[in-house]
Amino acid sequence: MRASMLCLLLVLLPSLAGAAAPAVISHGPSEVGVTIYRDPERGSDSIDTDAPNSFALISETRVVDLPPGPVTIRFEGVAGGIVPQSAILFGTQPRERNRDAALLSQGGLVDAFTGQQVLVRRTNPATGVVTEERATIRSAADRMVISTPLGAEAVYCTGLQQTLIYPNAPAALSAKPVLSMTTKDQPGGRATITLAYLANGFDWDATYVATLAQDGKSLALFSWLTMASGDETSFVDATTSAVAGQVNRSDGTSDDTGKMAREQAEYLNVYGRCWPSGTTTSGLRTPQLVAPAPVPMPMMSDYSAMEVVVVTGTRRKEAVQFASMAVTAVGERLGDLVLYKIPIPVTVAAQSQKQVAFLADKKITGEVIYRSRIAPFGSLRGMDRLFRFTNTTRAGLGQPIPAGQVILYQDGAFGRQLIGQSSTENKTINEDVELVFGEVENVTLEPDPDYTGKNYRYVVRNANPFPIRFELEFMTGHDGKFVRLPRGLISKPGKQVWSIVIQPNSQRLIGWGEVETTSQ
């Protein structure tokens, strides 16, 4: 007897040694942080609200009770766009990780119950009579086949309205995205662990509201930070931040290996492919599961009348340029980057957008410029009116400026009026920022009608009742070279600039020559 028990034990030992590690389910985090990065390829274009094309760093703090030894922890409620290879775990050492794509969905249920019994509920569209019968799912690949007491049939090919009813939800399926991580041998007990990972499907944008002073020598700047989530997971009361600046991302963290699996689970391929071909029921198509569309954010075309919602719940209408905002993102320097942190916990809801203020109440000194450009052997490139300032603390800012759209107003005798729209690229500290706006009036640059020489001579006229700063940029790096230029030009990368002040109702002359530099 003892010999038999010993033999049985020896047989079982290999299977016990290869047994899977026990599973512990973490249903959700106790604390979460969301840091959103801007899409660097988007430039000054708007966010794609249907499919944000950047990413976020998610940090989740969870409390779990672990048995001793290796343990598989199932983290429920992670971001649906999680990049599994980016996940790291603090508090216990991981051995392996997996992104579980078996979601509680139509596709997941069909796969889980293949070979098992379900109920088929049929509704006759002519009589409204509802019947139910037991059936066994036989195939769930491209077309669903079930067997009933009457034989095998392809679901949705009978011409009747049919619904499959499942007896329960399999334990292997989760209604939330899941990441599984198996730990190394550990002592067990209650542990506070931190899970950090990158997730695709996020983005943020900057929108600026600027009010030009009546004398054109300063600009009051107010900014909105708009964060967008295209993910299926909501992060409640999250510590939320946005990073401004150019961030390089490796190819290894850019691939969302779970995206295709999620799409296949959400949209089961149940097109009616009925046979024999040519019957009255062939070609029937059943509705697919469709995710609800995200609610679009209202357009903020009229910023001056925009409604400001304060944390206390009270509301008031006033010019946001001078509104005392209850929540304003605070900037912190991170080397060449700036981290804009929302000072209170907020919910980053699934498939939604959220707005907070940043760079609020900034008065920036600068100058209104009238500018035209010319390339060798080319025509003049129109006339621009712009406000230029240098991004320094002395000028009133001194922080990186994320790319975004700019709405410009100006104070005048008749109040605050819209004067134009502009945009800006990403600007770092000590860079010049130029906001081109509106149509140019009363300033012209034309060939001098009295000049008959071989070179060029133009006349610039200022018909305004105030002096203006005018600049003519001679662009370099072409197949020609400017000669006989006026003195006092300012050299800048890729150009030389003639800059003068033109008094009210006056004009100035400028001339130059050109030679070809390309060898034939």
Side-chain angles (χ1 to χ4, degrees):
M1 177 66 70
R2 291 181 178 177
S4 299
M5 293 180 63
L6 181 60
C7 291
L8 179 61
L9 181 60
L10 292 174
V11 171
L12 291 176
L13 279 177
S15 61
L16 292 174
V24 173
I25 298 177
S26 173
H27 295 287
S30 57
E31 298 178 10
V32 62
V34 179
T35 302
I36 301 176
Y37 292 79
R38 194 180 186 279
D39 181 5
E41 305 296 331
R42 185 163 48 82
S44 59
D45 295 337
S46 300
I47 295 176
D48 185 349
T49 55
D50 294 328
N53 198 32
S54 193
F55 63 97
L57 172 63
I58 314 294
S59 176
E60 303 178 354
T61 300
R62 300 179 181 234
V63 179
V64 293
D65 293 313
L66 304 177
V71 181
T72 297
I73 308 175
R74 287 172 53 84
F75 296 98
E76 291 188 347
V78 296
I82 184 174
V83 182
Q85 60 269 34
S86 70
I88 54 177
L89 190 63
F90 303 94
T92 185
Q93 294 188 359
R95 188 180 66 193
E96 63 180 55
R97 55 199 172 195
N98 297 283
R99 166 62 162 85
D100 298 342
L103 298 181
L104 185 59
S105 59
Q106 180 169 304
L109 286 170
V110 170
D111 288 339
F113 278 92
T114 298
Q116 301 182 43
Q117 283 196 344
V118 295
L119 281 179
V120 181
R121 177 179 294 168
R122 311 178 195 270
T123 303
N124 191 314
T127 63
V129 175
V130 178
T131 59
E132 292 182 355
E133 63 177 325
R134 293 195 173 276
T136 302
I137 298 178
R138 297 300 183 188
S139 174
D142 292 335
R143 49 178 70 88
M144 192 187 306
V145 177
I146 61 174
S147 60
T148 68
L150 298 178
E153 67 174 72
V155 180
Y156 310 123
C157 288
T158 62
L160 302 177
Q161 296 179 3
Q162 302 176 101
T163 301
L164 297 184
I165 301 176
Y166 303 91
N168 53 56
L173 297 184
S174 172
K176 304 175 182 179
V178 176
L179 176 74
S180 295
M181 299 190 79
T182 302
T183 71
K184 296 180 180 180
D185 192 11
Q186 44 83 40
R190 175 157 291 189
T192 299
I193 57 180
T194 300
L195 175 68
Y197 56 88
L198 297 179
N200 293 322
F202 295 84
D203 202 354
W204 75 275
D205 202 5
T207 304
Y208 301 90
V209 183
T211 301
L212 187 64
Q214 191 168 359
D215 60 5
K217 295 181 179 180
S218 65
L219 189 77
L221 186 66
F222 186 92
S223 311
W224 287 105
L225 187 156
T226 302
M227 295 174 290
S229 169
D231 199 81
E232 61 204 76
T233 301
S234 293
F235 299 96
V236 181
D237 293 336
T239 301
T240 308
S241 306
V243 173
Q246 187 76 19
V247 178
N248 294 323
R249 186 180 179 189
S250 65
D251 294 337
T253 63
S254 300
D255 178 36
D256 177 13
T257 57
K259 182 177 180 181
M260 183 177 295
R262 293 201 321 277
E263 291 179 349
Q264 291 176 348
E266 293 172 359
Y267 303 103
L268 176 65
N269 186 3
V270 291
Y271 295 117
R273 299 179 181 176
C274 306
W275 59 87
S277 178
T279 64
T280 57
T281 56
S282 63
L284 292 178
R285 178 173 293 187
T286 57
Q288 291 182 287
L289 297 178
V290 178
V295 179
M297 291 290 292
M299 295 297 293
M300 297 185 297
S301 57
D302 186 3
Y303 289 90
S304 61
M306 180 181 170
E307 196 171 45
V308 179
V309 181
V310 186
V311 170
T312 58
T314 60
R315 299 185 178 188
R316 63 174 180 258
K317 286 186 177 181
E318 58 181 308
V320 296
Q321 192 71 53
F322 308 102
S324 178
M325 300 301 298
V327 180
T328 302
V330 180
E332 300 177 4
R333 292 297 305 274
L334 296 174
D336 293 336
L337 308 176
V338 171
L339 178 74
Y340 290 106
K341 181 181 296 184
I342 301 177
I344 62 173
V346 297
T347 296
V348 181
Q351 298 180 341
S352 67
Q353 298 179 57
K354 182 176 293 293
Q355 287 183 317
V356 295
F358 80 112
L359 298 183
D361 301 326
K362 298 292 185 180
K363 184 177 180 179
I364 304 170
T365 58
E367 187 178 17
V368 173
I369 308 291
Y370 292 80
R371 178 186 66 192
S372 189
R373 292 172 172 171
I374 186 170
F377 308 106
S379 60
L380 289 169
R381 300 182 182 178
M383 178 83 70
D384 294 327
R385 180 174 58 158
L386 57 97
F387 182 83
R388 178 190 295 152
F389 66 92
T390 304
N391 185 14
T392 61
T393 304
R394 184 176 180 179
L397 191 55
Q399 297 183 34
I401 301 176
Q405 300 296 317
V406 185
I407 309 297
L408 288 110
Y409 296 87
Q410 186 170 24
D411 292 327
F414 300 99
R416 184 166 174 257
Q417 296 181 339
L418 178 68
I419 59 173
Q421 297 187 22
S422 186
S423 63
T424 178
E425 299 177 347
N426 290 316
K427 294 293 183 179
T428 62
I429 298 174
N430 297 323
E431 271 196 290
D432 283 345
V433 180
E434 297 180 344
L435 304 178
V436 179
F437 63 94
E439 295 181 357
V440 176
E441 297 179 350
N442 302 326
V443 179
T444 59
L445 179 66
E446 298 174 336
D448 183 4
D450 298 326
Y451 179 69
T452 58
K454 297 180 179 180
N455 294 315
Y456 298 91
R457 192 166 76 179
Y458 275 68
V459 55
V460 54
R461 295 183 176 89
N462 174 26
N464 290 296
F466 50 83
I468 65 165
R469 167 73 64 179
F470 175 78
E471 293 183 355
L472 183 60
E473 296 183 352
F474 295 90
M475 312 304 293
T476 58
H478 296 270
D479 294 338
K481 180 181 179 180
F482 294 109
V483 295
R484 292 181 289 281
L485 291 170
R487 294 186 179 184
L489 268 67
I490 303 170
S491 295
K492 293 187 177 182
K495 59 189 175 184
Q496 289 184 296
V497 182
W498 182 60
S499 179
I500 59 169
V501 174
I502 305 178
Q503 297 302 319
N505 300 306
S506 62
Q507 66 183 37
R508 292 287 298 272
L509 293 172
I510 179 174
W512 69 90
E514 297 178 12
V515 295
E516 190 172 359
T517 59
T518 303
S519 59
Q520 299 295 329

